[in-house]
């Protein structure tokens, strides 16, 4: 997993830039957007979002390491129910992002060569 994480962070650095990558607000907003996209893709209903958020915010914040573990734990179950390998899905996303960068002009150095991401 750390190899995947390192590659994903390098790719996000190239795509979003160091400032955005290290900006907690940007990371939070992107995470909630992607989480809601997953919720919606699984058939989640708009009307259920506010009650869920109210329940979460009624408790003390969880430590980040525990919250990340909780997300990974639940993703494993989502992968099982959806009959997908979540790590393969994650690598597919990296491949797609690399391809998009190489065709859109992002990730290029001033000499015109595509930035190399280890493992990519």
């Amino acid at each position: 997993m750390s190899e995947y994480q390192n590659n994903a962070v390098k790719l996000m650095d190239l795509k979003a830039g160091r400032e955005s990558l290290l900006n907690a607000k940007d990371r939070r907003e992107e995470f909630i957007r992607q989480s809601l996209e997953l919720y919606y893709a699984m058939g989640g209903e708009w009307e259920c979002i506010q009650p869920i958020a109210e329940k979460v915010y009624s408790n003390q914040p969880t430590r980040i390491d525990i919250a990340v573990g909780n997300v990974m734990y639940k993703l494993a179950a989502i992968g099982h129910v959806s009959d997908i390998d979540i790590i393969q899905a994650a690598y597919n996303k990296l491949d797609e992002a690399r391809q998009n960068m190489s065709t859109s002009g992002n990730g290029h150095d001033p000499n015109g060569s595509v930035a190399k991401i280890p493992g990519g």
Side-chain angles (χ1 to χ4, degrees):
M1 183 57 124
S2 60
E3 178 186 348
Y4 172 82
Q5 182 176 347
N6 292 339
N7 286 330
V9 167
K10 288 174 186 175
L11 186 59
M12 283 186 271
D13 187 18
L14 289 171
K15 187 174 180 181
R18 175 68 46 170
E19 187 174 320
S20 178
L21 176 64
L22 298 177
N23 183 305
K25 182 178 183 272
D26 287 355
R27 296 305 98 221
R28 281 192 313 264
E29 288 177 3
E30 274 301 303
F31 182 79
I32 194 69
R33 189 176 75 75
Q34 295 301 325
S35 296
L36 287 170
E37 195 170 291
L38 175 59
Y39 176 78
Y40 184 48
M42 293 182 66
E45 297 177 0
W46 170 255
E47 297 78 20
C48 296
I49 294 172
Q50 185 172 349
I52 293 168
E54 287 173 356
K55 185 175 179 182
V56 169
Y57 274 85
S58 70
N59 298 318
Q60 291 293 318
T62 304
R63 286 188 356 225
I64 292 176
D65 61 324
I66 292 171
V68 168
N70 291 341
V71 167
M72 297 302 294
Y73 185 73
K74 297 302 181 182
L75 279 175
I78 289 170
H80 178 73
V81 167
S82 303
D83 195 27
I84 60 169
D85 180 320
I86 62 170
I87 300 303
Q88 185 59 55
Y91 275 106
N92 291 348
K93 174 59 185 174
L94 282 185
D95 291 342
E96 175 192 340
R98 282 188 192 105
Q99 183 65 25
N100 288 343
M101 285 184 67
S102 68
T103 60
S104 69
N106 291 331
H108 287 75
D109 71 18
N111 298 320
S113 62
V114 176
K116 180 68 175 149
I117 300 169

